[in-house]
Amino acid sequence: MLTITQALVDQIVAHARKDHPDEACGVVAGPAGSNRPERFIPMLNAAMSPTFYEFDSGDLLKLYREMDDRDEEPVVIYHSHTATEAYPSRTDISYANEPGAHYVLVSTADTDGAGEFQFRSFRIVEGRVTEEEVQVVEAY
């Protein structure tokens, strides 16, 4: 289960809406071993595409060095889908290389009639996708 604050959910959704119609992407870092997302880090979608996201390799290297220096790890890796439901695509699955991370997808398309966005979390390990419950809290 992913436990995340309402403030972080709001920041992720706001980033997805701001970058629409392109996919938005980013990371929420947390203390190593804590499974607690704390630090919101919006990233640039280097692909600048409505159907694909890609972290800039230089930005990603800088981020991982910064997280190492702060004894953090990527707790949440998020991106948006602009025209489809919030479910990992084959490309998303093939690029998922952090088995301990929660992969959050936000859809900015109303694909299910449930509202203007979907916010879902998945574990992706060795190509297997498992949806998990999301618990939104005010604070940890």
Side-chain angles (χ1 to χ4, degrees):
M1 175 171 59
L2 169 62
T3 301
I4 189 169
T5 64
Q6 183 66 58
L8 286 169
V9 169
D10 292 346
Q11 288 177 297
I12 291 168
V13 171
H15 184 204
R17 288 182 174 147
K18 181 178 79 65
D19 283 11
H20 188 87
D22 290 338
E23 290 192 3
C25 58
V27 172
V28 183
S34 72
N35 196 36
R36 190 175 66 233
E38 291 184 352
R39 189 166 64 97
F40 175 69
I41 308 155
M43 304 285 284
L44 172 70
N45 178 356
M48 299 182 83
S49 167
T51 59
F52 179 74
Y53 84 98
E54 181 177 31
F55 292 118
D56 176 85
S57 59
D59 289 348
L60 198 57
L61 179 61
K62 180 181 171 193
L63 172 62
Y64 271 80
R65 285 182 175 154
E66 184 179 292
M67 286 190 299
D68 282 346
D69 290 346
R70 296 171 62 120
D71 197 27
E72 292 177 326
E73 64 188 3
V75 178
V76 170
I77 298 171
Y78 73 87
H79 77 280
S80 62
H81 283 181
T82 61
T84 59
E85 72 172 319
Y87 190 86
S89 68
R90 283 182 299 214
T91 304
D92 297 339
I93 295 165
S94 70
Y95 282 3
N97 60 2
E98 288 287 349
H102 302 272
Y103 285 88
V104 165
L105 277 101
V106 174
S107 176
T108 54
D110 182 5
T111 58
D112 61 2
E116 56 192 83
F117 73 91
Q118 298 173 338
F119 186 100
R120 297 167 73 184
S121 183
F122 304 87
R123 294 293 189 146
I124 305 174
V125 179
E126 296 179 2
R128 290 190 36 207
V129 177
T130 306
E131 186 165 8
E132 62 184 351
E133 183 182 342
V134 176
Q135 179 181 34
V136 179
V137 297
E138 286 307 310
Y140 301 120

